Amino acid sequence: MPAHPISVAIVGLGKIARDQHIPAIEGNPAFELAGVASRNASLPSLRHFTDIGEMLRNAPDIAAVSLCTPPQGRQAQARAALAAGRHVLLEKPPGATVAEIGPLIDLARQNGVTLFATWHSRFAAAVEPARAFLADARIRSVQVTWKEDVRHWHPGQQWIWEPGGLGVFDPGINALSIVTRILPQPFFLTQASLSFPANRAAPIAAELDFADGAGVPVRFDLDWRQTGPQSWDIDVDTDKGRLLLGEGGKTLSLDGQPLLADEDAEYAGIYARFAELIEAGESEVDLSPLVHVADAFMLGRRIEVEPFEDAA
Amino acid sequence: MPAHPISVAIVGLGKIARDQHIPAIEGNPAFELAGVASRNASLPSLRHFTDIGEMLRNAPDIAAVSLCTPPQGRQAQARAALAAGRHVLLEKPPGATVAEIGPLIDLARQNGVTLFATWHSRFAAAVEPARAFLADARIRSVQVTWKEDVRHWHPGQQWIWEPGGLGVFDPGINALSIVTRILPQPFFLTQASLSFPANRAAPIAAELDFADGAGVPVRFDLDWRQTGPQSWDIDVDTDKGRLLLGEGGKTLSLDGQPLLADEDAEYAGIYARFAELIEAGESEVDLSPLVHVADAFMLGRRIEVEPFEDAA
């Protein structure tokens, strides 16, 4: 831990910033919450800036920024912060496009600062134990079932249905971020079908068939129309048994025997890692989950399904 | 040039292999055409194999393969060839997905062989002169107009309309391969609209708005419905004048004054480069054109347009 805490500011004071980033920063003595940039919102007793440009001009003491704004438009914010010599943490997904991230990596290197593209689900409790278990396992198949009720989790949010909003890949990319972390071999899409409501520009469901180089099947079923019990399960059939990550990576079992169940500490993990990266002078950017989503839009067959209305 | 010519075989004996690869190989003394793998077709006086597996098992003298098969399924072929210690040339696009290429790069390195992901339009005569001109120019805007008649260029081809067939991005990726080569700064998509015929799974037209980090606009108009004169133009407005690459990169003019007009020698350039890479023990894989296409499918707004029938 550095001698002085790292001054970090939040850009974009929405739900994720309030629910997750601010408590995680306040819970980590390596950081000091030093300001907020938000057009419309502010917090008591915290410096407020209307946008990141004003912050960068007027607050030279702020060493790091966490970008919690939507991915569209975030590239310019990240670019400005990195060029001004500030460390940058990106909420997921790291950008609206894959191509925009490469120049940010170069800019971080040129300015000697850290760029951290976060995938919060990778910090769920079962992820690293699962990765260690699978490192020397013979994997036969992987089945991901990620089914939730969009009306419950995203009530009235229109932007998720717009181009770039990603639709069901907004939660689905969390599953991708776990599976790309725990499997020992890279995998790639072989076919996909994406279900678009007739009145929406983003998919409400998707079936994705991936394979690794050895042909091991990796199947994702994503669905935003799930009422009743919600599923965020990753089921890996191996020669050492059947490993199940449940509840989005919070629980782990082997052949039905519980190995682990933990409380959510994803954002605490993110900020612990951010401090490590800053201390080490390194960046961490893994685009593979976003690349898989882009591949799914490119290679996937589009199926039109019934219109989606927020009020059921 | 090596003391002995490099034995190279063609995999996939379709139109591009016959029209371009075979003449280019026969015209380059660094290579010797040593065989063909194709399920249905063969060439007189040339060893024939029904598939690449049979070739790799039975022809240890073949040092290099050119994969001219459609991108779907090509990953397995490339993987087999690289694992068997053969150099691999990939026709464009290098794969059906972005994610499948990374493991191939690793495999080439592990086996000490060359992987060359080709973009034939980059070998058009005007490309390197344009790159040199733009290296120290102040660029104001870029306009790409790529409009051709799909019925003329792809008569009756159904696969181009299937998922993964890319539609109008099949020619459009050629423009992307040139622009990513000649511009000194990387750029990324900010918005896009893709026009899908009501009866087809791939776009027939696309409007793409990119910007570089400094905000310079880079606009692509792609259209497969062009009858009459065809356009493959890249128009770059700079402080040194207006540079126009015409005819897909075969001609170059500055403020309307011709600088260059050359015959098509794209595939001769490809094989000259392939020989250089093999001699140097290097690979060359630039995925940026394919990344931009995937980004366009992910971020683009889909517009439904009138059905497309092959017979006008």
Side-chain angles (χ1 to χ4, degrees), chain A:
Chain A
M1 200 179 103
H4 299 287
I6 303 158
S7 285
V8 61
I10 296 283
V11 180
L13 192 58
K15 182 170 166 55
I16 195 74
R18 293 174 190 267
D19 291 356
Q20 300 289 351
H21 288 263
I22 289 172
I25 291 167
E26 290 180 339
N28 187 330
F31 291 99
E32 180 176 48
L33 185 58
V36 165
S38 171
R39 199 159 304 278
N40 304 311
S42 63
L43 284 177
S45 77
L46 208 54
R47 270 185 296 177
H48 177 260
F49 307 91
T50 54
D51 60 35
I52 190 171
E54 188 200 346
M55 176 190 284
L56 295 173
R57 281 190 302 276
N58 297 329
D61 60 297
I62 291 176
V65 296
S66 290
L67 300 187
C68 304
T69 44
Q72 299 92 327
R74 204 197 283 155
Q75 208 273 355
Q77 298 171 338
R79 189 178 172 83
L82 294 168
R86 318 303 171 91
H87 308 292
V88 171
L89 181 154
L90 301 173
E91 244 301 343
K92 68 98 193 177
T97 62
V98 174
E100 73 193 64
I101 311 298
L104 299 179
I105 299 171
D106 295 339
L107 198 57
R109 192 183 308 117
Q110 288 157 18
N111 286 276
V113 292
T114 292
L115 175 65
F116 182 22
T118 66
W119 299 106
H120 63 78
S121 292
R122 286 189 176 177
F123 292 91
V127 172
E128 290 308 312
R131 175 179 164 89
F133 178 91
L134 295 172
D136 62 354
R138 184 179 170 86
I139 297 169
R140 298 191 187 114
S141 67
V142 182
Q143 170 67 49
V144 177
T145 308
W146 223 254
K147 297 187 176 182
E148 58 176 55
D149 181 353
V150 64
R151 290 189 180 91
H152 178 78
W153 298 102
H154 296 277
Q157 290 181 19
Q158 295 309 308
W159 66 270
I160 55 173
W161 297 108
E162 289 301 300
L166 299 188
V168 76
F169 289 100
D170 178 79
I173 205 168
N174 296 334
L176 279 162
S177 76
I178 295 177
V179 180
T180 50
R181 176 73 187 160
I182 65 175
L183 292 190
Q185 297 296 329
F187 53 90
F188 52 88
L189 197 66
T190 56
Q191 65 174 17
S193 68
L194 278 56
S195 297
F196 285 70
N199 61 340
R200 301 288 178 167
I204 197 165
E207 296 180 353
L208 313 174
D209 285 303
F210 297 89
D212 71 6
V216 171
V218 181
R219 165 95 180 192
F220 282 66
D221 282 329
L222 311 178
D223 204 319
W224 244 354
R225 296 166 299 193
Q226 180 83 350
T227 53
Q230 309 280 289
S231 302
W232 300 283
D233 293 334
I234 299 168
D235 196 336
V236 189
D237 185 25
T238 83
D239 63 339
K240 295 161 60 182
R242 190 176 148 200
L243 193 73
L244 179 67
L245 287 85
E247 299 181 40
K250 289 205 243 330
T251 67
L252 189 66
S253 68
L254 181 63
D255 291 328
Q257 300 301 311
L259 298 180
L260 177 73
D262 221 330
E263 288 303 298
D264 174 14
E266 296 180 9
Y267 282 79
I270 282 180
Y271 279 91
R273 181 76 184 133
F274 193 30
E276 279 176 9
L277 289 169
I278 291 171
E279 183 77 1
E282 292 172 2
S283 287
E284 184 174 300
V285 181
D286 177 9
L287 296 181
S288 63
L290 188 61
V291 167
H292 287 311
V293 173
D295 280 343
F297 277 92
M298 178 165 64
L299 186 61
R301 182 177 293 278
R302 185 185 189 280
I303 298 168
E304 191 170 296
V305 296
E306 61 179 350
F308 173 83
E309 303 301 343
D310 257 306

Side-chain angles (χ1 to χ4, degrees), chain B residues 4 20 34 65 84 88 120 159 198 236 247 265 285 300:
Chain B
H4 299 287
Q20 299 289 352
V65 295
V88 171
H120 63 80
W159 66 270
V236 189
E247 298 180 39
V285 181

Side-chain angles (χ1 to χ4, degrees), chain B residues 43-60:
Chain B
L43 282 178
S45 77
L46 209 54
R47 269 185 296 177
H48 177 261
F49 306 92
T50 53
D51 60 33
I52 190 172
E54 188 200 345
M55 176 190 284
L56 295 172
R57 282 190 302 276
N58 297 329

